[in-house]
């Protein structure tokens, strides 16, 4: 259709008035003609979503035969429109198309696939409760169908991961992987391997996770699936960074971003950019990291990926804290925790709460810090995330020591040892567990434990770093050991406050700590002031 055969209305009000004056049957017939013209040739340049809209309008007050025909055309074009929206990472538009498509396909053989596809879109937009309900319905419909059951189980496993039911996700995804391998569905096998890698990563089994990711990458590359390869490579890079293999991690993250851009997958690109920003933060390349976080947040916002946006927001808050922009850090972390709660991501909410607790502890807001540690640990336990629950327990253990609660610190240490045991990577124990072991051992001096025995226990913790130099906490543990040995050789008193050197107590917390001790433990407050005066 060109300008000679189309009515052009320069004024929207005039166009709407003419449209409303048409008889309903005439309007329906004209909409049907638009659909037919669009399908017959390229002359009428309409998008799939617009054609679906005309097909829907053509069903109003139409003859039954025309209405049925237009209903089928609407289904056809909605499916195309949804796929195109997903391909350009427009999650909101894809969800809208699928919602209408499901209405049209209820009771048809296509309802199952549309229901699963909509549930997956709901998962990506953070509507996890509704997604799970839809998938449970689809699982009941699938029954023992060898093709349908693994399809819905794989989607359910991804929901379980987001909501923290990691053991359930692992068991389910193993079934999915086995079924797809038996069926010879290589594309589905690569997706199942990638999902299983995510589960094993969060369970702390980095060796199994890496094996799954590498198999998934190899399969996706062989299938020429750039989007999947980008996702799997980004997840592998995140694992490598957490394992302290930073050079490999940076190379993998750059490759993931390149693959995502090449595939035109903005959803995968947002994830890759956010992961790279996290790596740059850990490498203390703060200016580069901030630029990457801003880009990641923009991408996640544009595609409507609320869970990914919340993750990037929390990690950006962590960067702000490291850059000493504390008010901004608190604002970002609070917003992130709220968004994680909104999308029912207990694991990520727990992590954000833990970061806020650390921030409050460093500022001397001890009651707030304890409350947030408690909430974070509770959320992570609900999410079955042993690794990060262990990390938060070591953080709370340090705070309890600072507040002279040695029994509470020992309780957290004992539980953290269980949670961070094998197969959790050694890097997590080096960062969190071994320092707390050293501080708790040194704090036992307050109970009258012999200095020589305490020094030996701290030396044992320090020795764990010999094969893994470069960890920041190694310096603190070595400084503690040096002070104990000085006191031992001089026959004097170790200048410590419940296992910590004064230099290891956050500057912003000193005054609040002295005030708290003066109210509750005056003798300890006097001792701490004496040590501070001696240090000056």
């Amino acid at each position: 259709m060109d300008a000679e055969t189309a009515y052009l209305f320069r004024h929207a009000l005039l166009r709407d008035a003419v449209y409303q004056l048409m008889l309903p049957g005439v309007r329906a017939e004209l909409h049907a003609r638009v659909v037919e013209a669009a399908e017959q040739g390229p002359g009428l340049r309409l998008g799939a979503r617009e054609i679906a809209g005309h097909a829907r309008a053509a069903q109003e007050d139409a003859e039954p035969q025309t209405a049925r025909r237009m209903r089928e055309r609407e289904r056809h074009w909605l499916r195309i429109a949804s796929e195109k929206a997903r391909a350009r990472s427009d999650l909101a538009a894809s969800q809208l198309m699928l919602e209408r498509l499901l209405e049209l396909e209820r009771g048809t053989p296509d309802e199952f696939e549309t229901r699963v596809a909509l549930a997956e879109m709901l998962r990506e937009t953070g509507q996890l409760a509704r997604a799970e309900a839809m998938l449970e319905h689809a699982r009941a419909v699938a029954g023992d169908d060898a093709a349908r059951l693994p399809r819905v189980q794989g989607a359910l496993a991804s929901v379980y991961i987001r909501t923290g039911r990691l053991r359930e996700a692992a068991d389910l995804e193993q079934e999915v992987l086995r079924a797809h391998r038996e069926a010879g569905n290589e594309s589905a096998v690569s997706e199942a391997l990638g999902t299983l890698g995510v589960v094993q990563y969060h369970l702390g089994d980095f060796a199994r996770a890496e094996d799954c990711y590498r198999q998934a990458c190899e399969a996706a590359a062989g299938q020429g699936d750039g989007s999947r390869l980008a996702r799997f490579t980004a997840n592998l890079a995140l694992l490598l960074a957490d394992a302290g293999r930073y050079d490999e991690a940076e190379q993998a993250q750059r490759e993931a971003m390149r693959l995502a851009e090449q595939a035109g997958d903005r959803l995968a690109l947002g994830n890759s950019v956010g992961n790279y920003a996290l790596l740059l933060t850990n490498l203390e390349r703060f200016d580069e990291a901030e630029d990457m976080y801003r880009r990641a947040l923009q991408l996640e916002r544009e595609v409507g990926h609320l869970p990914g946006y919340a993750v990037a927001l929390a990690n950006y808050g962590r960067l702000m804290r490291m850059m000493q922009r504390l008010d901004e850090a608190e604002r970002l972390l609070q917003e992130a925790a709220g968004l994680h709660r909104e999308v029912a991501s207990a694991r990520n909410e727990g992590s954000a709460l833990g970061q806020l607790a650390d921030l409050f502890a460093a500022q001397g807001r001890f009651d707030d810090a304890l409350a947030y540690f408690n909430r974070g640990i509770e959320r992570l336990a609900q999410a079955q995330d042993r690794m990060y629950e262990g990390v938060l327990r070591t953080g709370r253990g340090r705070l309890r020591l600072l507040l002279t609660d040695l029994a509470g610190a020992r309780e957290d240490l004992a539980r953290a040892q269980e949670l961070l045991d094998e197969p959790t990577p050694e890097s997590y124990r080096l960062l969190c567990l071994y320092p707390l072991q050293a501080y708790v051992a040194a704090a036992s001096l307050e109970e009258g434990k012999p200095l020589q025995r305490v020094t030996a226990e701290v030396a044992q913790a320090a020795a764990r770093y010999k094969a893994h130099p470069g960890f920041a906490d190694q310096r603190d543990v070595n400084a503690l050991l040096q002070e104990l040995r000085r006191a031992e050789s001089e026959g004097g008193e170790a200048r410590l406050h419940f296992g910590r050197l004064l230099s290891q107590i956050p500057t912003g917390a000193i005054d609040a700590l002295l005030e708290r001790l003066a109210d509750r433990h005056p003798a300890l407050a006097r001792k701490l002031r004496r040590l501070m005066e001696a240090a000056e």
Side-chain angles (χ1 to χ4, degrees):
M1 188 178 292
D2 57 29
E4 294 179 357
T5 57
Y7 287 105
L8 298 180
F9 293 99
R10 299 295 183 185
H11 198 291
L13 291 177
L14 177 59
R15 178 197 63 204
D16 291 345
V18 171
Y19 183 79
Q20 294 301 325
L21 287 171
M22 290 180 183
L23 294 173
V26 174
R27 284 202 301 265
E29 179 60 27
L30 288 175
H31 282 297
R33 289 184 183 181
V34 171
V35 174
E36 291 164 357
E39 292 182 336
Q40 287 171 2
L44 187 61
R45 297 178 179 177
L46 294 179
R49 184 173 180 177
E50 293 174 278
I51 300 172
H54 282 292
R56 182 174 187 174
Q59 297 166 48
E60 299 176 10
D61 298 305
E63 294 293 327
Q65 185 177 356
T66 300
R68 284 194 298 272
R69 182 164 53 86
M70 286 297 108
R71 185 182 180 91
E72 288 306 309
R73 302 324 298 154
E74 184 187 2
R75 287 175 60 188
H76 171 78
W77 287 106
L78 279 172
R79 192 171 292 110
I80 293 174
S82 174
E83 290 170 358
K84 287 187 173 182
R86 176 65 182 84
R88 66 175 183 271
S89 301
D90 188 344
L91 305 185
S94 181
Q95 179 186 329
L96 187 64
M97 299 299 103
L98 287 168
E99 297 271 16
R100 171 59 180 166
L101 186 58
L102 184 60
E103 289 179 25
L104 297 172
E105 293 188 336
R106 291 189 190 280
T108 73
D110 295 323
E111 179 186 352
F112 173 84
E113 183 56 41
T114 300
R115 184 176 289 276
V116 175
L118 176 56
E120 290 177 326
M121 199 55 56
L122 291 168
R123 179 195 69 213
E124 292 305 318
T125 55
Q127 301 173 67
L128 295 176
R130 189 169 168 226
E132 184 171 351
M134 279 200 160
L135 291 170
E136 289 294 357
H137 182 279
R139 178 155 64 173
V141 171
D144 295 328
D145 187 293
R148 287 182 163 188
L149 186 58
R151 170 83 171 93
V152 70
Q153 285 178 319
L156 266 173
S158 292
V159 171
Y160 290 167
I161 293 170
R162 298 284 178 90
T163 54
R165 288 167 285 175
L166 298 176
R167 301 291 177 185
E168 295 172 67
D171 293 342
L172 200 56
E173 200 60 41
Q174 288 285 8
E175 291 182 36
V176 171
L177 180 59
R178 185 164 50 252
H180 287 317
R181 278 177 168 160
E182 289 174 359
N185 189 340
E186 294 303 320
S187 177
V189 165
S190 71
E191 186 66 33
L193 283 166
T195 303
L196 194 57
V198 173
V199 178
Q200 297 300 337
Y201 167 77
H202 287 301
L203 287 173
D205 192 340
F206 277 27
R208 290 184 66 188
E210 182 175 353
D211 182 56
C212 286
Y213 284 149
R214 291 197 182 279
Q215 287 187 63
C217 286
E218 184 178 355
Q223 295 152 16
D225 192 329
S227 289
R228 275 186 180 157
L229 182 56
R231 283 194 289 116
F232 300 154
T233 303
N235 287 341
L236 174 62
L238 191 63
L239 179 152
L240 293 171
D242 277 359
R245 295 155 63 182
Y246 296 120
D247 290 342
E248 293 176 75
E250 183 163 10
Q251 183 179 355
Q253 285 294 8
R254 288 182 177 276
E255 177 65 5
M257 290 190 293
R258 185 191 69 78
L259 289 165
E261 286 184 307
Q262 188 177 66
D265 190 333
R266 294 191 302 151
L267 183 61
L269 181 59
N271 178 59
S272 301
V273 172
N275 285 355
Y276 188 38
L278 180 60
L279 173 62
L280 292 170
T281 301
N282 292 336
L283 294 175
E284 299 186 359
R285 290 156 59 181
F286 294 153
D287 290 341
E288 294 175 75
E290 186 168 10
D291 289 342
M292 282 292 166
Y293 277 129
R294 288 174 176 167
R295 185 183 175 197
L297 288 167
Q298 181 180 353
L299 284 164
E300 299 284 13
R301 188 186 304 113
E302 287 174 354
V303 303
H305 188 216
L306 188 57
Y309 181 83
V311 168
L313 202 65
N315 289 335
Y316 191 18
R318 175 172 172 264
L319 172 65
M320 291 297 95
R321 184 191 168 187
M322 294 174 74
M323 296 176 72
Q324 296 303 308
R325 289 153 61 176
L326 303 184
D327 289 343
E328 197 168 354
E330 181 176 350
R331 179 184 63 80
L332 291 169
L333 287 167
Q334 290 283 17
E335 184 180 352
L339 290 174
H340 287 311
R341 188 160 51 253
E342 182 180 330
V343 301
S345 178
R347 172 171 49 82
N348 287 321
E349 183 191 350
S351 176
L353 291 170
Q355 291 188 63
L356 281 163
D358 274 331
L359 174 62
F360 295 152
Q363 294 174 319
R365 296 161 59 182
F366 302 126
D367 291 334
D368 288 340
L370 283 170
Y372 274 71
F373 269 130
N374 294 342
R375 285 172 55 196
I377 289 167
E378 179 183 349
R379 298 299 281 153
L380 288 164
Q382 291 172 356
Q384 303 172 28
D385 194 320
R386 295 173 58 85
M387 188 164 63
Y388 281 105
E389 183 190 346
V391 170
L392 255 65
R393 281 187 176 274
T394 63
R396 188 174 69 179
R398 292 189 194 204
L399 176 59
R400 283 174 158 177
L401 273 183
L402 188 67
L403 302 180
T404 72
D405 181 6
L406 182 52
R410 283 179 173 144
E411 174 191 313
D412 276 327
L413 175 59
R415 181 59 179 148
Q417 286 174 321
E418 295 174 2
L419 294 166
L420 296 176
D421 201 356
E422 298 290 346
T424 301
E426 178 72 358
S427 58
Y428 279 81
R429 291 187 286 277
L430 289 161
L431 284 166
C432 306
L433 185 63
Y434 301 148
L436 182 59
Q437 287 178 339
Y439 304 145
V440 167
S444 62
L445 287 170
E446 306 290 340
E447 299 174 323
K449 194 171 187 177
L451 178 60
Q452 188 174 5
R453 284 180 57 193
V454 169
T455 304
E457 290 176 12
V458 173
Q460 188 176 15
R464 298 180 185 275
Y465 289 94
K466 289 183 178 178
H468 305 277
F471 282 85
D473 285 276
Q474 180 181 8
R475 294 191 295 270
D476 287 344
V477 174
N478 285 340
L480 174 60
L481 179 61
Q482 184 177 354
E483 170 59 19
L484 290 168
R485 285 174 171 166
R486 180 206 62 76
E488 192 176 1
S489 64
E490 295 178 3
E493 177 186 41
R495 297 187 290 263
L496 304 174
H497 171 73
F498 274 76
R500 305 299 297 275
L501 293 164
L502 297 186
S503 60
Q504 294 169 355
I505 301 174
T507 304
I510 286 287
D511 289 342
L513 178 61
L514 285 168
E515 183 178 344
R516 187 183 184 98
L517 291 176
D519 290 340
R520 306 181 188 194
H521 306 287
L524 289 174
R526 290 193 294 272
K527 177 185 175 183
L528 182 56
R529 288 188 184 279
R530 176 171 54 79
L531 291 175
M532 290 173 62
E533 291 169 0
E536 292 174 357

